[in-house]
Amino acid sequence: MFEDARRLVGIDGPREEITKLLMEEGDNDSKKLLKVVSLVGFGGLGKTTLANQVYTKIKSEFECTAFVSVSRTPHMPKIPKDILSGFGYCGTEMEDDVQKLIEILRAHLTNKRYLIIIDDVWNTKDWRTIECALMENNNGSRVITTTRHQDVATTCCFLSQGHVYHMQPLDEHHSKRLFFKRLFDIEDGCPEQFRDISNDMLRKCKGVPLAITSIASLLANQSKHVETWEKIHNSLGYELDSNPTMEWMRHVLSLSYNDLSQELKTCLLYLGNYPEDYEIETFDLMRKWIAEGFVREKHGLDLEEAAKTV
Ligand SMILES: Nc1ncnc2c1ncn2[C@@H]1O[C@H](COP(=O)(O)OP(=O)(O)OP(=O)(O)O)[C@@H](O)[C@H]1O
Ligand SMILES: [Mg+2]
């Protein structure tokens, strides 16, 4: 979620566009009203990444800021709670009553200029609940939502003066930069013998950052032989050609998965214990892996030091 900005490509233009929509549009009176911008696009297009970039850029201009994830089956009380803890609120009344939590949140926001990012809204019903907390206080507050669904995006923008922003795939230039940087650690090209096959694969990724980075990581772990790459390319062929969304991504990921050692496969599957969008503490996770007996302690290895390198 929080990709290092230096590893991102083609983000400056979209980040400026969203910032402009949020901060610069309208006359002085309308700038004071609450505004929502909703980023919409299919999985892996970079919605969360872009929302986070805008958040980092403009948050110093707001009194209260929070970045929260909703996900497919949210535990609703968690959302106002997460927003409140994002604001640094640590009242004692943090129970599980959504209505009460929303009241606390509204009271907290009464006179403040707030910026809230609500990442990954799955349906309009969840949004309707969240929306109750976002009071109009004429202080120039701003909200960004991300979603895969057009109808949710439209609903998010309905009450405020909002904008739906359609995520665009990366263009050819940025796709290449991302791919080659991840694979060869050079941005402007690749060794001659890999050029054709790289271009073929990139064409099939259709500018989807998740596709490009997944394939680059898969190839980075293989021997640097054109024949090996061709084998992988052929096994991706059909799905990549026909459907640039999640279906074939599953295939890419399963190829990467099959490539892992038995030990790492178990460790990876263990992540299924965590709910979607849960923030996993590396140190805590490594201790659990060891406690489960998935990985053995290596003599002389300091776990805390190792966790820092992950
Ligand atoms: N501009 C970019 N440059 C480089 N990598 C990017 C860029 N945008 C996204 N990525 C990478 O692509 C992957 C998917 O991005 P992200 O999680 O933001 O997509 P998403 O649209 O939010 O997907 P979902 O709908 O599943 O939440 C991440 O690994 C992210 O680091
Ligand atoms: Mg996302």
Side-chain angles (χ1 to χ4, degrees):
M1 178 163 150
F2 299 116
E3 183 75 83
D4 183 345
R6 282 164 304 181
R7 287 165 67 99
L8 301 176
V9 301
I11 201 94
D12 298 354
R15 186 182 51 219
E16 294 319 307
E17 251 180 277
I18 310 271
T19 306
K20 215 166 161 190
L21 287 176
L22 281 170
M23 311 295 280
E24 287 171 28
E25 264 204 356
D27 55 28
N28 282 345
D29 281 344
S30 64
K31 273 185 186 157
K32 285 195 180 145
L33 300 173
L34 172 67
K35 189 182 271 186
V36 180
V37 169
S38 188
L39 313 186
V40 63
F42 57 78
L45 259 185
K47 303 179 289 298
T48 304
T49 308
L50 178 56
N52 186 47
Q53 286 296 306
V54 177
Y55 179 66
T56 309
K57 183 178 173 205
I58 64 175
K59 69 181 188 184
S60 62
E61 297 184 38
F62 295 80
E63 282 168 83
C64 294
T65 59
F67 191 121
V68 300
S69 287
V70 182
S71 86
R72 196 184 303 239
T73 48
H75 176 55
M76 279 323 272
K78 191 170 174 294
I79 298 164
K81 270 188 194 173
D82 283 352
I83 298 178
L84 280 163
S85 30
F87 293 164
Y89 175 90
C90 39
T92 46
E93 322 88 303
M94 298 280 264
E95 48 198 285
D96 264 4
D97 180 339
V98 178
Q99 196 173 334
K100 242 201 189 126
L101 285 163
I102 286 178
E103 276 164 26
I104 298 173
L105 187 51
R106 288 180 66 91
H108 192 79
L109 293 176
T110 311
N111 292 313
K112 307 231 171 61
R113 184 176 196 215
Y114 60 86
L115 169 67
I116 305 178
I117 315 299
I118 306 194
D119 187 34
D120 223 4
V121 185
W122 277 83
N123 59 58
T124 49
K125 188 169 145 277
D126 294 343
W127 171 252
R128 298 253 181 250
T129 309
I130 298 166
E131 192 181 44
C132 300
L134 307 174
M135 68 181 316
E136 171 63 272
N137 58 13
N138 229 19
N139 261 333
S141 297
R142 299 290 182 260
V143 172
I144 302 177
T145 65
T146 79
T147 178
R148 292 187 190 173
H149 305 289
Q150 175 66 47
D151 61 326
V152 176
T154 314
T155 313
C156 289
C157 296
F158 187 65
L159 277 185
S160 76
Q161 8 153 37
H163 290 280
V164 174
Y165 181 89
H166 293 271
M167 290 292 299
Q168 296 301 317
L170 297 174
D171 60 22
E172 192 185 333
H173 167 71
H174 288 115
S175 299
K176 277 188 177 165
R177 272 187 56 191
L178 180 59
F179 190 69
F180 295 139
K181 179 97 181 95
R182 295 273 163 116
L183 253 175
F184 302 110
D185 208 27
I186 42 172
E187 291 187 10
D188 301 326
C190 74
E192 183 59 38
Q193 69 270 33
F194 293 115
R195 185 157 300 152
D196 287 348
I197 187 157
S198 298
N199 286 342
D200 257 3
M201 289 204 233
L202 269 175
R203 209 166 344 97
K204 290 172 178 174
C205 289
K206 299 197 163 73
V208 181
L210 179 62
I212 297 169
T213 51
S214 300
I215 294 185
S217 321
L218 174 63
L219 293 173
N221 291 325
Q222 304 293 326
S223 61
K224 296 261 185 302
H225 290 116
V226 177
E227 302 78 52
T228 317
W229 283 33
E230 268 164 2
K231 247 191 225 158
I232 292 174
H233 180 219
N234 290 340
S235 70
L236 292 174
Y238 168 71
E239 283 158 288
L240 274 168
D241 265 338
S242 56
N243 183 357
T245 58
M246 294 315 273
E247 280 312 306
W248 67 267
M249 184 56 60
R250 211 167 289 144
H251 187 73
V252 175
L253 295 177
S254 72
L255 277 174
S256 308
Y257 173 76
N258 292 335
D259 220 36
L260 295 174
S261 68
Q262 204 52 45
E263 209 174 45
L264 287 180
K265 275 184 187 158
T266 316
C267 290
L268 180 68
L269 291 179
Y270 187 74
L271 299 179
N273 276 330
Y274 294 89
E276 193 175 353
D277 292 323
Y278 185 87
E279 201 168 312
I280 303 170
E281 294 288 340
T282 316
F283 184 60
D284 184 48
L285 175 66
M286 290 172 84
R287 279 164 51 110
K288 284 182 173 148
W289 280 342
I290 291 172
E292 295 280 359
F294 300 155
V295 283
R296 256 164 287 129
E297 193 182 351
K298 291 217 170 99
H299 190 65
L301 183 73
D302 180 335
L303 191 57
E304 238 167 292
E305 282 304 311
K308 281 184 207 151
T309 66
V310 177

